[in-house]
Amino acid sequence: MSQKIIVLPGDGIGPEIVAEGIKVLDKVREKFRLDLEWETALMGGVAYDKTGKPLPDETLDLCRKADAILFGAVGGPQYDSAPRELRPERGLLALRAELGLFSNLRPAVLFPQLAEASTLKPEVVSGLDIMIIRELTGGIYFGQPRGIETLPNGERRGFNTLEYTESEIERIGRSAFDIAMKRDKRVCSVDKANVLEFSELWREVLESVAKDYPEVTLSHMYVDNAAMQLVRMPKQFDVIVTTNMFGDILSDAAAMLTGSIGMLPSASLDANGKGLYEPIHGSAPDIVGKGLANPLATILSIAMMLRYSLGAEDAAVSIENAVSSVLDQGFRTADLGGGENAAKTAEMGDAVAAAL
Ligand code: NAD
């Protein structure tokens, strides 16, 4: 039976970069004779405009039935005045929650050809290949109680709750170990166990999960040290696994090691490996319709989709090799320092498809 992908282009540059991604997917389907089909659905601001909801029921239904979801980006200044619960970004949060996408994979890979584009010294980042796995549906962003209250003395107090159950820790731990098995077999768990009780439990559960993966080496690091090590010696890491909030911060720092936001893919997986794949950047309203958007983060997200949800590792590798080859050929979009001769969005997509 063929595998089904739901494509959600979204807003801003979303449709432009997703179009290039589909070009590449079409090519790879043909080359590897993959039994894949896809269908486009509404999501984000465009869905709000047409249906009054950022995540229409029909789209959610299609996503539930799909094997994987390819997502562009949502949002834009025209929606800033919409009611908070109807803003495009809320649709994405709802989709992640509805589908139980608890494991967020954020690779930070620096193609050696782009070492000069990083703000760090080339020798520190050249050849960088780390995977940050962030817990996505729990922790302090979801914990209850939360709020702002007024105390009897009239002063206000803001509070949130950082909580993780053993099962939540165990499933993100397993996700990290499974991925480490496909890589260099090293997991570094980042916590704050010297200060926070939940972190003690986190460490304990990670240690017990590790017993099922004797080939993988588990280490622990406090989050403050991890932030420092990421900019000091990032190549020491293979897989980093951490909580929702720590992962939010560390993965953005790691993203900058690689030079441009336009290069970074991501995956959000459920317990069965079904996933939503998206570039980490937003809808970039400042460059919409100008051919300036770098489609490589979306194209690399498709490689992740083939690897983690569709079981087509060879097709994934061939996309990654094709991206490397177009960089070798000198193709650069404006964000990669292409200057006057910068490749336009569609030229970059065409070049990757041709390299396949
Ligand atoms: P952004 O990521 O859209 O843009 C930040 C900067 O990076 C901009 O200068 C943009 O031009 C540039 N940029 C982003 N992607 C690029 C690409 N592929 N190629 C070249 N340059 C690129 O972040 P923002 O400006 O803070 O947010 C814009 C909108 O996107 C907001 O409405 C925000 O809420 C939304 N957003 C959506 C997502 C998502 O859909 N997952 C993520 C982040 C932000």
Side-chain angles (χ1 to χ4, degrees):
M1 210 175 73
S2 70
Q3 291 175 304
K4 178 88 181 259
I5 301 163
I6 295 301
V7 180
L8 308 172
D11 310 317
I13 61 168
E16 300 169 40
I17 51 177
V18 164
E20 301 314 309
I22 293 296
K23 241 181 225 173
V24 170
L25 188 59
D26 210 16
K27 195 72 197 271
V28 97
R29 171 171 69 174
E30 184 190 312
K31 181 173 169 185
F32 291 89
R33 298 178 188 282
L34 301 173
D35 194 2
L36 292 180
E37 53 182 80
W38 48 87
E39 179 179 344
T40 300
L42 288 175
M43 160 87 183
V46 63
Y48 172 70
D49 289 341
K50 290 198 177 143
T51 71
K53 286 182 178 178
L55 176 62
D57 297 343
E58 195 191 342
T59 298
L60 180 58
D61 253 14
L62 285 168
C63 290
R64 281 193 208 285
K65 290 182 198 138
D67 294 291
I69 300 148
L70 176 65
F71 176 77
V74 291
Q78 66 273 44
Y79 302 108
D80 286 351
S81 54
R84 188 169 292 280
E85 66 284 3
L86 293 178
R87 292 201 190 142
E89 294 81 356
R90 283 296 174 111
L92 180 57
L93 291 179
L95 186 59
R96 287 173 180 159
E98 287 288 335
L99 298 183
L101 304 173
F102 67 90
S103 177
N104 184 216
L105 278 50
R106 289 250 214 139
V109 174
L110 182 77
F111 286 90
Q113 303 92 322
L114 300 179
E116 297 294 336
S118 174
T119 47
L120 270 73
K121 291 182 187 137
E123 65 268 26
V124 175
V125 289
S126 184
L128 181 78
D129 180 359
I130 63 185
M131 176 71 86
I132 298 192
I133 300 184
R134 164 188 172 197
E135 199 290 326
L136 200 59
T137 55
I140 197 164
Y141 293 174
F142 293 87
Q144 295 289 347
R146 62 193 295 161
I148 301 174
E149 65 179 10
T150 304
L151 299 170
N153 67 2
E155 191 184 8
R156 289 189 304 156
R157 167 180 171 264
F159 56 98
N160 289 87
T161 303
L162 207 179
E163 59 179 359
Y164 273 108
T165 60
E166 285 177 297
S167 56
E168 282 176 310
I169 304 169
E170 183 179 338
R171 66 180 186 175
I172 192 69
R174 289 200 182 278
S175 189
F177 279 91
D178 286 340
I179 283 156
M181 286 296 289
K182 296 181 182 168
R183 297 175 46 100
D184 201 32
K185 301 190 172 67
R186 290 182 293 123
V187 171
C188 177
S189 167
V190 171
D191 62 31
K192 191 69 183 168
N194 49 343
V195 180
L196 301 173
E197 284 79 1
F198 98 87
S199 272
E200 282 175 35
L201 182 68
W202 178 278
R203 243 179 217 220
E204 217 178 274
V205 174
L206 263 283
E207 284 292 342
S208 96
V209 171
K211 295 195 179 101
D212 292 338
Y213 298 84
E215 289 174 59
V216 178
T217 309
L218 171 66
S219 61
H220 303 276
M221 195 179 275
Y222 297 139
V223 62
D224 39 353
N225 186 24
M228 183 179 76
Q229 296 299 334
L230 264 179
V231 287
R232 190 180 81 94
M233 226 172 60
K235 286 191 268 185
Q236 69 185 280
F237 297 109
D238 177 27
V239 173
I240 292 176
V241 62
T242 190
T243 62
N244 204 341
M245 182 166 62
F246 294 163
D248 191 3
I249 299 163
L250 293 181
S251 62
D252 268 25
M256 269 326 292
L257 303 175
T258 70
S260 172
I261 196 169
M263 291 298 296
L264 293 164
S266 77
S268 305
L269 304 180
D270 75 2
N272 304 312
K274 172 170 163 171
L276 178 141
Y277 296 84
E278 57 173 321
I280 70 156
H281 59 74
S283 58
D286 52 330
I287 57 168
V288 176
K290 297 182 179 161
L292 291 176
N294 181 351
L296 293 181
T298 308
I299 290 170
L300 292 167
S301 298
I302 291 176
M304 291 188 83
M305 178 168 80
L306 290 160
R307 171 170 298 126
Y308 293 111
S309 287
L310 303 177
E313 174 69 22
D314 46 357
V317 171
S318 92
I319 291 180
E320 288 158 354
N321 288 342
V323 168
S324 184
S325 143
V326 301
L327 294 174
D328 278 340
Q329 291 166 43
F331 283 89
R332 299 283 186 279
T333 40
D335 58 301
L336 299 177
E340 279 181 12
N341 300 321
K344 295 283 190 189
T345 308
E347 283 170 319
M348 193 56 128
D350 287 340
V352 177
L356 276 163

